[in-house]
Protein backbone atom coordinates (compact mmCIF):
# COMPACT_ATOMS: atom_id res chain seq x y z
CA UNK A 1 0.00 0.00 0.00
CA UNK A 2 0.91 3.65 -0.39
CA UNK A 3 0.24 6.11 2.44
CA UNK A 4 0.06 9.90 2.56
CA UNK A 5 -1.30 12.52 4.91
CA UNK A 6 -2.12 16.19 4.89
CA UNK A 7 -3.93 18.84 6.88
CA UNK A 8 -7.50 20.10 6.91
CA UNK A 9 -7.90 23.56 8.43
CA UNK A 10 -10.95 25.68 9.31
CA UNK A 11 -10.87 29.22 10.78
CA UNK A 12 -13.65 31.25 12.39
CA UNK A 13 -13.59 34.93 13.35
CA UNK A 14 -15.92 36.69 15.78
CA UNK A 15 -17.07 39.84 13.99
CA UNK A 16 -19.13 41.38 16.80
CA UNK A 17 -20.85 40.49 20.06
CA UNK A 18 -19.77 38.61 23.13
CA UNK A 19 -18.17 35.25 23.67
CA UNK A 20 -19.63 32.31 21.78
CA UNK A 21 -18.87 28.69 21.02
CA UNK A 22 -19.00 27.55 17.41
CA UNK A 23 -19.53 23.83 16.79
CA UNK A 24 -18.35 22.57 13.41
CA UNK A 25 -19.22 19.36 11.55
CA UNK A 26 -17.21 18.34 8.48
CA UNK A 27 -18.43 15.96 5.81
CA UNK A 28 -16.68 14.67 2.69
CA UNK A 29 -18.09 13.64 -0.69
CA UNK A 30 -17.49 10.23 -2.28
CA UNK A 31 -15.68 11.67 -5.30
CA UNK A 32 -15.83 9.87 -8.64
CA UNK A 33 -16.62 6.45 -7.14
CA UNK A 34 -19.97 7.37 -5.59
CA UNK A 35 -19.06 5.14 -2.63
CA UNK A 36 -17.36 5.59 0.73
CA UNK A 37 -16.39 1.90 0.85
CA UNK A 38 -13.77 2.49 -1.84
CA UNK A 39 -13.02 5.81 -3.49
CA UNK A 40 -11.58 5.85 -7.00
CA UNK A 41 -9.02 8.04 -8.73
CA UNK A 42 -9.24 8.21 -12.51
CA UNK A 43 -6.70 8.47 -15.31
CA UNK A 44 -8.82 8.41 -18.45
CA UNK A 45 -10.68 5.08 -18.32
CA UNK A 46 -8.19 3.63 -15.78
CA UNK A 47 -9.04 3.52 -12.05
CA UNK A 48 -6.98 3.41 -8.87
CA UNK A 49 -8.71 2.61 -5.57
CA UNK A 50 -7.98 4.63 -2.42
CA UNK A 51 -9.66 6.07 0.65
CA UNK A 52 -9.40 8.92 3.18
CA UNK A 53 -9.41 8.40 6.94
CA UNK A 54 -9.60 10.24 10.27
CA UNK A 55 -7.09 7.95 11.98
CA UNK A 56 -3.60 6.61 11.32
CA UNK A 57 -4.93 3.05 11.76
CA UNK A 58 -7.05 3.61 8.59
CA UNK A 59 -10.30 2.43 10.20
CA UNK A 60 -12.48 5.61 10.31
CA UNK A 61 -13.45 6.62 6.76
CA UNK A 62 -14.04 10.32 6.14
CA UNK A 63 -17.53 10.86 4.75
CA UNK A 64 -21.01 12.10 5.62
CA UNK A 65 -22.07 9.48 8.16
CA UNK A 66 -23.54 7.04 5.62
CA UNK A 67 -22.12 3.92 3.96
CA UNK A 68 -19.76 3.16 6.84
CA UNK A 69 -18.27 6.67 6.84
CA UNK A 70 -18.03 9.22 9.64
CA UNK A 71 -18.29 12.97 9.94
CA UNK A 72 -15.80 15.05 11.91
CA UNK A 73 -16.27 17.77 14.45
CA UNK A 74 -14.59 20.56 16.35
CA UNK A 75 -15.56 23.37 18.72
CA UNK A 76 -14.13 26.87 18.84
CA UNK A 77 -14.52 29.29 21.76
CA UNK A 78 -14.50 32.82 20.36
CA UNK A 79 -14.43 36.01 22.44
CA UNK A 80 -13.58 39.70 21.93
CA UNK A 81 -10.15 38.97 23.48
CA UNK A 82 -9.64 35.90 21.30
CA UNK A 83 -11.72 36.58 18.17
CA UNK A 84 -10.10 34.12 15.74
CA UNK A 85 -9.71 30.38 16.21
CA UNK A 86 -8.38 27.72 13.88
CA UNK A 87 -9.13 24.01 14.04
CA UNK A 88 -6.73 21.70 12.23
CA UNK A 89 -6.73 17.96 11.75
CA UNK A 90 -4.70 15.40 9.89
CA UNK A 91 -6.28 13.59 6.97
CA UNK A 92 -4.84 10.15 6.21
CA UNK A 93 -4.85 8.63 2.72
CA UNK A 94 -4.22 5.03 1.71
CA UNK A 95 -3.95 3.36 -1.69
CA UNK A 96 -4.29 -0.44 -1.28
CA UNK A 97 -1.45 -2.59 -2.62
CA UNK A 98 -1.53 -4.99 -5.59
CA UNK A 99 -3.50 -2.84 -8.02
CA UNK A 100 -2.39 -3.58 -11.56
CA UNK A 101 -2.92 -0.16 -13.14
CA UNK A 102 -1.46 1.64 -16.14
CA UNK A 103 1.04 4.40 -15.54
CA UNK A 104 -0.53 7.84 -15.56
CA UNK A 105 -1.76 10.75 -13.50
CA UNK A 106 -4.70 9.67 -11.35
CA UNK A 107 -6.98 12.28 -9.79
CA UNK A 108 -10.23 12.62 -7.87
CA UNK A 109 -12.10 15.60 -6.45
CA UNK A 110 -13.51 15.52 -2.93
CA UNK A 111 -15.85 18.28 -1.75
CA UNK A 112 -15.57 19.12 1.96
CA UNK A 113 -18.64 20.72 3.57
CA UNK A 114 -18.36 22.51 6.91
CA UNK A 115 -21.62 23.03 8.81
CA UNK A 116 -21.75 25.31 11.85
Amino acid sequence: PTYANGQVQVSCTLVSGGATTVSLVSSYSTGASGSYALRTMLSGANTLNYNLYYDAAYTQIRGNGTGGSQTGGASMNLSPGNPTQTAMGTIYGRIPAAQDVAAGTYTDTIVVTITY
Side-chain angles (χ1 to χ4, degrees):
T2 301
Y3 302 94
N5 61 36
Q7 297 291 316
V8 177
Q9 181 176 310
V10 177
S11 296
C12 288
T13 301
L14 179 67
V15 177
S16 64
T20 189
T21 298
V22 177
S23 296
L24 306 171
V25 175
S26 63
S27 62
Y28 296 73
S29 70
T30 57
S33 71
S35 171
Y36 291 112
L38 199 57
R39 287 182 166 104
T40 304
M41 289 186 276
L42 303 174
S43 178
N46 300 312
T47 61
L48 181 62
N49 298 323
Y50 79 102
N51 223 327
L52 304 173
Y53 301 87
Y54 282 102
D55 62 323
Y58 304 95
T59 60
Q60 300 171 349
I61 297 171
R62 287 184 182 249
N64 70 355
T66 65
S69 72
Q70 299 178 2
T71 59
S75 291
M76 297 179 188
N77 297 311
L78 305 172
S79 67
N82 192 11
T84 300
Q85 292 285 311
T86 300
M88 189 173 352
T90 301
I91 187 169
Y92 299 90
R94 180 177 181 269
I95 299 172
Q99 296 185 64
D100 186 17
V101 298
T105 301
Y106 290 79
T107 62
D108 194 15
T109 300
I110 302 296
V111 176
V112 180
T113 302
I114 305 296
T115 305
Y116 60 95

